[in-house]
Amino acid sequence: MGAIDGTHVSVEIQGMFRGRKEGTTQNVLAAITFNLKFIYILAGWEGSADDSRVLGDALSRPSGLKIPEGI
């Protein structure tokens, strides 16, 4: 695994997707290899969700993010 990062993407849905700052956003987590290839993407969390909750959800899913041994 090369890197894991999260970002906020603007959305047009109101309500639960209200971000911590202005506007409505969706929290997106992405993981890439050292060769810059995407190996995992999780979208759908509301913008106000804490990054640790999004990562925890990605790790707990049956087909979720798997971190190789020794990394």
Side-chain angles (χ1 to χ4, degrees):
M1 183 161 321
I4 299 174
D5 197 7
T7 188
H8 289 265
V9 177
S10 293
V11 295
E12 297 297 322
I13 302 170
Q14 299 295 317
M16 73 175 189
F17 288 95
R18 179 77 45 200
R20 285 175 278 193
K21 298 180 182 175
E22 294 180 16
T24 53
T25 63
Q26 188 175 76
N27 212 325
V28 179
L29 176 121
I32 61 170
T33 67
F34 287 107
N35 296 333
L36 301 179
K37 294 183 181 181
F38 285 94
I39 58 171
Y40 186 80
I41 295 176
L42 174 65
W45 275 85
E46 64 273 11
S48 61
D50 187 71
D51 291 343
S52 63
R53 288 184 59 209
V54 178
L55 178 59
D57 181 47
L59 293 170
S60 69
R61 291 174 179 237
S63 60
L65 178 62
K66 305 291 186 243
I67 298 177
E69 291 284 325
I71 300 293

